[in-house]
Amino acid sequence: MHELSLATALVEQLQEIMAREGVQELVSVTVAMGVLSGVEREALEFCFPLVVEATPLKGAILKIVETPLCFRCPRCQREWQAEKVDFAPCGGCGSAPEIIDGRDLVIRSLEVT
Ligand SMILES: [Zn+2]
């Protein structure tokens, strides 16, 4: 199950941050989930508590915010967002855009005691 390994990786990353920052107890974590990340939100929400159960993060709440797809024009640097991949050309100069955000699952903030 993909989301289980994702949750495990997320928890490992969180433990590293907590060790580095000297955080003892985590109340919640907010992660940004790109619409293109391919992550099933509900599956991740289901797996997270199972993974943290055996760690010092037990009881921490996972909050997920979905991030839209962001495009940037490599030619005129114009940036815009879209709900889905359509690769519409840049409205300014007609160049093909590149995706700059909306693909990954990233930790955005931690709430600690
Ligand atoms: Zn452009």
Side-chain angles (χ1 to χ4, degrees):
M1 191 168 162
H2 182 56
E3 276 72 15
L4 185 59
S5 55
L6 259 175
T8 307
L10 184 64
V11 169
E12 280 170 7
Q13 211 181 333
L14 284 167
Q15 285 183 290
E16 276 173 34
I17 296 170
M18 288 169 70
R20 198 171 62 217
E21 307 289 332
V23 175
Q24 304 292 329
E25 217 173 307
L26 185 69
V27 178
S28 71
V29 53
T30 303
V31 296
M33 190 181 84
V35 291
L36 263 198
S37 64
V39 179
E40 260 190 68
R41 182 181 180 147
E42 279 161 29
L44 185 61
E45 281 171 337
F46 175 77
C47 290
F48 187 79
L50 304 179
V51 175
V52 295
E53 186 68 29
T55 74
L57 280 71
K58 188 181 174 187
I61 297 161
L62 177 68
K63 294 177 183 173
I64 299 174
V65 290
E66 287 176 31
T67 49
L69 210 50
C70 296
F71 292 99
R72 180 171 57 207
C73 171
R75 200 158 141 201
C76 65
Q77 307 302 317
R78 188 171 165 268
E79 291 182 10
W80 67 96
Q81 296 181 344
E83 292 301 313
K84 57 180 176 59
V85 189
D86 57 5
F87 286 104
C90 170
C93 70
S95 295
E98 53 194 27
I99 298 173
I100 55 168
D101 198 10
R103 277 178 301 195
D104 305 314
L105 185 73
V106 288
I107 296 171
R108 188 160 278 181
S109 62
L110 304 182
E111 190 190 339
V112 299
T113 49

